[in-house]
Amino acid sequence: MVKRALVLATILALSIGSAIAAQTPEAPQAEIPGVLKAGTKVELVKDGFNGGEGPVASGDGGLYFTAIDDNRIHKVDRDGRTVSIWRENTNGTNGLFLLKDGRLLGAESGGKRIIAIAPGGAVTGLATASGGRPLRSPNDLIADGKGGIYFTDPAPRPAPNVAPMEPGNVHYMRANGEVLLIDSEIRRPNGLTVSLDGRTLYVGDTEGEYVYAFDIQPDGSARNKRQFVKLRDPEQGSLGLRSRADGMALDSEGRVYVSTAAGIQVIDARGTHLGTIRLPAVARNLAFAGPDRRTLYLTALNALYRVPTLSSGPAERAK
């Protein structure tokens, strides 16, 4: 038993050390062709937030992002430096997505629902249950081109940094309000996105090492679940090695950007790891914004960062 405990302790120390070393940006940033120049530095925009999450381009060159524990949505102006409070009392809103009609979709983790916020501030509840069961803690979401919304709804953690006791759910809400269950077997489904052609749904697992892919069907449902990519430099979690995969974003070339314990891992459409953007803190979510969509904003637990990129956000959607 003592020997086994020592082995486990060694594995834990090595895993945590690897994650910390991977995340520490002391060494110059390596080039990621088409994405980032070698030596590019990450800039702090502002700190002092509690639970930074949910960034999405605002449509006017700025950015929205959430501070879950502060119960606020913030807005960054197109100058990239002025940060103001856009909405208070958000019921722990986490992920955001901006629709073309100006409504801001939100995953209310505290309110246990999916909402839409009109440009004037009016809030409409869109989904509170699936299959007759109430939602647990909606985390992230993205709209498709048919009026539907994909969203993740993980089970609650029994304690901070401890994996949920049961797997979470991935749902699709059709334009008519019907909510379908897509998957109920990912340990902690978190960030998600949809390919530019609308044919593939990507879902990350915070407590595992993989991003999964699903084939989207004409009715919005998704099947043929498979491992899309095994993320690099995992850390030790309560159930084993985990990527700490969180928010995702796509660029105009269809590359997938995943927030992980090691930094922002950039993956091409074939599932090939292209490189990692190293950060001064663990990024929880990310989005392209700015007037030319060539600035990648990164939310950490207590701060907002940004980094200039060679790549750009997709032109036809907010994220």
Side-chain angles (χ1 to χ4, degrees):
M1 289 297 291
V2 173
K3 183 177 180 181
R4 182 172 181 272
L6 288 172
V7 170
L8 290 175
T10 301
I11 292 174
L12 176 60
L14 288 174
S15 300
I16 293 175
S18 174
I20 292 173
Q23 189 76 9
T24 301
E26 293 177 354
Q29 171 68 49
E31 177 189 13
I32 305 177
V35 174
L36 208 66
K37 293 180 181 179
T40 300
K41 297 184 182 299
V42 175
E43 175 189 0
L44 172 67
V45 178
K46 189 174 182 180
D47 58 12
F49 307 109
N50 292 293
E53 259 288 359
V56 66
S58 61
D60 59 0
L63 179 90
Y64 295 109
F65 70 97
T66 60
I68 300 173
D69 299 328
D70 293 331
N71 272 311
R72 288 172 174 167
I73 297 175
H74 293 272
K75 173 81 183 296
V76 181
D77 287 350
R78 63 181 285 119
D79 64 10
R81 297 185 180 281
T82 305
V83 181
S84 58
I85 298 172
W86 187 76
R87 182 172 179 248
E88 300 261 23
N89 303 316
T90 63
N91 286 324
T93 295
N94 191 330
L96 300 172
F97 187 82
L98 185 68
L99 297 174
K100 291 183 178 180
D101 64 9
R103 288 182 298 158
L104 188 64
L105 300 178
E108 272 193 7
S109 58
K112 306 182 187 306
R113 60 178 183 166
I114 302 299
I115 63 169
I117 307 171
V123 177
T124 302
L126 301 179
T128 59
S130 176
R133 296 183 177 181
L135 302 180
R136 294 178 289 194
S137 183
N139 187 296
D140 206 356
L141 76 175
I142 188 167
D144 63 10
K146 298 176 287 190
I149 302 169
Y150 294 95
F151 64 96
T152 53
D153 187 32
R157 292 183 181 276
N161 215 32
V162 176
M165 300 299 293
E166 59 182 289
N169 296 327
V170 182
H171 297 287
Y172 177 65
M173 190 192 80
R174 288 176 168 154
N176 64 3
E178 179 185 7
V179 179
L180 308 177
L181 177 65
I182 298 294
D183 186 85
S184 61
E185 297 180 354
I186 298 174
R187 172 56 59 180
R188 193 170 193 276
N190 196 326
L192 77 173
T193 191
V194 172
S195 61
L196 296 181
D197 62 10
R199 296 179 179 179
T200 306
L201 172 68
Y202 302 105
V203 182
D205 181 8
T206 301
E207 296 296 336
E209 296 183 75
Y210 292 93
V211 171
Y212 295 93
F214 299 77
D215 293 330
I216 294 176
Q217 305 304 302
D219 65 355
S221 61
R223 61 189 183 195
N224 188 27
K225 176 186 175 184
R226 57 200 180 274
Q227 294 172 352
F228 170 64
V229 64
K230 185 176 183 179
L231 296 164
R232 300 191 178 186
D233 301 316
E235 66 176 21
Q236 187 67 31
S238 62
L239 297 177
L241 292 179
R242 64 174 188 174
S243 63
R244 207 164 168 173
D246 207 313
M248 295 188 196
L250 291 185
D251 67 17
S252 59
E253 299 297 321
R255 289 174 286 234
V256 182
Y257 295 64
V258 189
S259 303
T260 72
I264 305 301
Q265 299 193 40
V266 185
I267 317 297
D268 71 13
R270 295 167 295 184
T272 302
H273 182 273
L274 302 177
T276 300
I277 304 173
R278 307 297 184 183
L279 308 171
V282 175
R284 292 152 59 96
N285 211 325
L286 70 164
F288 285 95
D292 57 2
R293 300 288 298 279
R294 290 185 182 274
T295 300
L296 188 62
Y297 282 88
L298 317 154
T299 53
L301 182 65
N302 303 118
L304 176 70
Y305 297 90
R306 67 179 183 179
V307 60
T309 58
L310 301 173
S311 53
S312 62
E316 298 302 317
R317 69 191 213 194
K319 188 173 181 179

